[in-house]
Amino acid sequence: MKTLLVIGYVWPEPKSSAAGSRMMQLLNGFQQAGYQIHYASPAELSPHAEDLSSYGITSSSIELNSSTFDEFLLELKPAAVMFDRFMMEEQFGWRVEKHCPDALRILDTEDLHCLRHARHQAYKDGASIQETLNISNELLYSDLAKREIASILRCDLSLMISEAEMTLLVERFNVPSEILHYIPFFRPSPEQTQWLSFEARQHFISIGNFRHEPNWDAVRYLKESIWPNIRKKLPEAELHVYGAYPPKKATQLHNEKQGFLVKGWAEDAIEVVSKAKVLLAPLRFGAGLKGKLVDAAECGTPAVTTSIGAEGMYQNHVPVLVQDIADTFTESAISLYQDQGQWVTLQNQCAPMIKERFDENCHIHAFLHRLADVEQNLNHYRLSNFTGAMMRHHSMKSTQYMAQWIEAKNKRS
């Protein structure tokens, strides 16, 4: 059986973040492709991490800047290596190149870090959401972008969660489309008969890992600019704010008199979202796809979000209202909460949207087909990507010498 080594930036936490959930989906896809999976990470193990052994996946702790990883590689001899985020490719890619040059190299980008950081900078500079959405090259072409795009080019295949980001890579960075593959979140067809009705639901909900800066900003935006005006019109309504790893500054926002209830960790995100009447996601910057909006559609919960939140999400079926200004966002939230006809119309778009954009069978089949094609034609892919070969040649030397210098320094100290 073929062995896949996954080098994780963190240990998967599917109940904490959309990234953790998607990682588990990818691991399942590789198992369907016939791979025996070995997951390794230099991160500290979290109490919320998934028990990978229950899925038949072997786990190992590895060290940064240590030749012990070379020995680990030589013993494992993986047929393929997947790097979880470009930082792991930077750290370990040269060692894979040196000891397993024939291994298929895959990068799971999660979202484009350079895009998210550029938009964050634009937001801090006072840009509107539309200006942040259409980011300038001046902000986009950062040192972080140079590192991230170099990592994408060095890999044989990069897994992209957003079609919008694929377009950006091809049109703005001239990345060959042949080395990119679109694989978003995917879901089975929703059980609509289990959805609660308009009358059976109450309150608003916001959800998202607090360690993710766009989510924390959205909570502050709700508290300061949106919720006070919603509460004036709907004095009995509550906003339930869920998310893993809430810091003290977040829990201090909890105010029962204002109906702003910071609940923190949700054991089952689908359960709490399915009971809410409206999901609020006023994201002012960010990248990738928004797992909270996929979750909302899966359980028939209409939402209000921004153009940032909606990017890459929808096509013909749109179960959300999109507003980029605080006042109109507030008005849409109040209207959707009160207007049963509008609410039902949006709920009816949820199941078709999941089928159209995030169908599990469709994306798994496409992924397995693409994976088999790259495996069988690896030499062709590499010969067609001379820039990537050049990047591997030069970066292997620079990162190798830096890592060896750090390792030697650590041994002396």
Side-chain angles (χ1 to χ4, degrees), residues 239-272:
L239 173 59
H240 296 185
V241 181
Y242 287 92
Y245 302 107
K248 187 176 181 179
K249 61 185 178 181
T251 57
Q252 288 176 336
L253 298 180
H254 181 91
N255 189 313
E256 293 190 8
K257 290 184 178 180
Q258 297 173 357
F260 195 94
L261 309 180
V262 180
K263 301 280 189 173
W265 173 272
E267 181 65 27
D268 187 334
I270 294 296
E271 180 182 4
V272 296

Side-chain angles (χ1 to χ4, degrees), residues 226-383:
I226 296 173
W227 184 247
N229 292 323
I230 293 178
R231 182 75 170 182
K232 286 178 184 177
K233 293 290 183 68
L234 303 171
E236 301 302 318
E238 297 173 358
L239 173 59
H240 296 185
V241 181
Y242 287 92
Y245 302 107
K248 187 176 181 179
K249 61 185 178 181
T251 57
Q252 288 176 336
L253 298 180
H254 181 91
N255 189 313
E256 293 190 8
K257 290 184 178 180
Q258 297 173 357
F260 195 94
L261 309 180
V262 180
K263 301 280 189 173
W265 173 272
E267 181 65 27
D268 187 334
I270 294 296
E271 180 182 4
V272 296
V273 173
S274 68
K275 294 177 180 178
K277 186 169 285 187
V278 176
L279 181 137
L280 302 179
L283 297 154
R284 293 189 281 189
F285 59 93
L289 295 182
K290 312 307 177 287
K292 58 180 69 63
L293 293 174
V294 181
D295 290 345
E298 185 179 352
C299 53
T301 303
V304 186
T305 190
T306 62
S307 297
I308 291 288
E311 183 183 47
M313 286 287 301
Y314 309 110
Q315 194 169 325
N316 296 313
H317 302 282
V318 185
V320 302
L321 301 178
V322 180
Q323 298 289 353
D324 291 338
I325 299 172
D327 288 347
T328 54
F329 189 100
T330 300
E331 291 169 4
S332 290
I334 294 169
S335 172
L336 186 56
Y337 194 85
Q338 294 180 311
D339 186 340
Q340 182 173 0
Q342 182 185 41
W343 190 92
V344 170
T345 297
L346 291 187
Q347 188 187 58
N348 288 339
Q349 297 297 306
C350 289
M353 188 277 279
I354 292 289
K355 181 68 176 176
E356 179 182 53
R357 301 290 291 158
F358 304 105
D359 180 69
E360 183 175 35
N361 293 331
C362 173
H363 289 295
I364 282 286
H365 176 76
F367 176 59
L368 296 181
H369 179 78
R370 185 66 184 279
L371 192 59
D373 178 60
V374 178
E375 287 172 340
Q376 295 167 13
N377 299 285
L378 186 56
N379 287 337
H380 168 75
Y381 272 85
R382 289 185 173 176
L383 286 173

